Amino acid sequence: MLSLSAFRALSFSSVAPATQAVRFMAVKAAATSTAAKPAAKKETPGSTKSTKATAAKTTKATKATTPTKAAKPVKAKKVAEKPKAKKIAPLPMPKRPSTPWNLFFMEHLDKVKASGEPIVPTVETANASVLWKQLAEDQKKVYEDKYRASFEIFKKQVSDRLQELTPAEFKQENARRSALRAAGKKNLPSLKDPNAPKRPLSSFFRFAQDQRKAGKFSDLPLKDQVRSFAAAWKSISPSEKTRYDELSRVALDQYKADKARYEAQHQ
């Protein structure tokens, strides 16, 4: 029989090789798995910059190739335009005379021409303006008197010219002036035919005329007179107001008949 010490030695000698074999296989498997993994590359500063630059180029190229949405056209706001005046030839009319200032300015230009110096309109306008302001009142009065005398002649010429015009010519000229006023022209009143029948007064103005003839409210200023006539008109009896309405209606019918007859005679 084997002794206890011999048995232990036999057991140890049989187990040791198996344990060593297991350890060897484990080390071999670990080495194999380590060799299978790729070695991680170390990034250098240069390689990092080149990678970012490449990524930036790729992004720009992507943006460049990506179609952008077309911008919507902006609608222009419509601005209300003034109606253009119809081109109608104006009737020959007397020319309005020059104002006192214009008379002085033309005289100033004549003096500059006589001196032989070149005329610069803006400069001479400024020079003449200074000289005009330096004139005494009696010196300005000379030019003002010339203007008044010329204006009286102008009014007579206009009156004679209006007597020559026909109703059709008045209508044509007033249509031209109305179109110009609609286009923004100012200070261009319509012409009045002196020979045409006069439009009658309304009921209120007929009443105010009677009140004025009777001397009512004559001590008041003109504006206060009008207010007083309006207050008196509101306070009269209905029968009295009806009487004025009837007078105005008859006068208006007569005016329409006279106007139609006048225009038929001067066509």
Side-chain angles (χ1 to χ4, degrees):
M1 296 180 62
L2 292 175
S3 62
L4 179 61
S5 58
F7 180 79
R8 287 178 178 175
L10 180 62
S11 300
F12 178 77
S13 62
S14 60
V15 173
T19 303
Q20 290 178 356
V22 171
R23 287 179 179 176
F24 176 77
M25 291 176 66
V27 172
K28 186 177 181 180
T32 304
S33 62
T34 303
K37 291 181 180 181
K41 294 182 179 180
K42 294 183 180 179
E43 292 185 358
T44 61
S47 63
T48 304
K49 289 182 179 178
S50 61
T51 304
K52 289 182 179 180
T54 305
K57 289 181 181 180
T58 306
T59 304
K60 288 182 180 179
T62 306
K63 289 182 179 180
T65 55
T66 304
T68 57
K69 294 183 179 179
K72 294 183 179 179
V74 180
K75 293 183 179 179
K77 294 183 179 179
K78 294 183 179 180
V79 180
E81 296 182 356
K82 292 183 178 180
K84 294 182 179 180
K86 295 181 180 179
K87 292 184 178 180
I88 304 175
L91 292 177
M93 297 292 291
K95 186 178 179 180
R96 183 177 289 273
S98 299
T99 63
W101 152 252
N102 285 335
L103 291 172
F104 174 79
F105 180 64
M106 296 304 295
E107 187 178 290
H108 172 76
L109 291 181
D110 291 340
K111 291 179 181 179
V112 176
K113 287 179 183 178
S115 67
E117 296 181 3
I119 295 177
V120 181
T122 55
V123 174
E124 296 308 329
T125 300
N127 293 338
S129 178
V130 173
L131 294 174
W132 173 258
K133 292 177 181 178
Q134 294 174 353
L135 291 180
E137 291 301 321
D138 57 338
Q139 291 176 312
K140 287 184 179 181
K141 190 175 182 300
V142 174
Y143 298 98
E144 291 170 355
D145 290 342
K146 287 182 180 179
Y147 170 72
R148 290 192 187 95
S150 300
F151 191 76
E152 291 300 321
I153 297 173
F154 166 73
K155 288 198 300 183
K156 180 66 169 58
Q157 291 173 342
V158 170
S159 177
D160 294 342
R161 178 61 177 143
L162 294 179
Q163 293 287 345
E164 299 171 356
L165 298 180
T166 64
E169 289 174 324
F170 274 105
K171 187 175 181 179
Q172 176 184 339
E173 177 63 17
N174 287 335
R176 184 186 75 87
R177 295 186 175 208
S178 177
L180 289 173
R181 287 196 299 270
K185 183 72 174 178
K186 297 181 179 180
N187 300 324
L188 194 66
S190 297
L191 299 179
K192 292 184 179 181
D193 186 351
N195 300 316
K198 301 297 183 290
R199 192 175 189 88
L201 297 174
S202 65
S203 303
F204 167 72
F205 283 105
R206 192 178 292 272
F207 166 78
Q209 186 182 63
D210 290 345
Q211 293 283 301
R212 186 176 287 110
K213 288 179 180 179
K216 299 290 183 66
F217 313 116
S218 59
D219 58 331
L220 298 177
L222 184 58
K223 289 184 178 180
D224 293 338
Q225 286 184 26
V226 174
R227 294 192 189 99
S228 300
F229 290 147
W233 172 253
K234 292 179 180 179
S235 64
I236 65 173
S237 63
S239 60
E240 188 70 5
K241 187 174 290 188
T242 301
R243 184 176 72 85
Y244 280 105
D245 290 342
E246 183 62 20
L247 290 173
S248 296
R249 187 190 63 79
V250 172
L252 183 61
D253 291 342
Q254 184 63 43
Y255 160 75
K256 291 179 179 178
D258 294 342
K259 183 180 179 182
R261 190 181 307 108
Y262 174 79
E263 292 178 350
Q265 291 174 354
H266 296 83
Q267 283 184 351

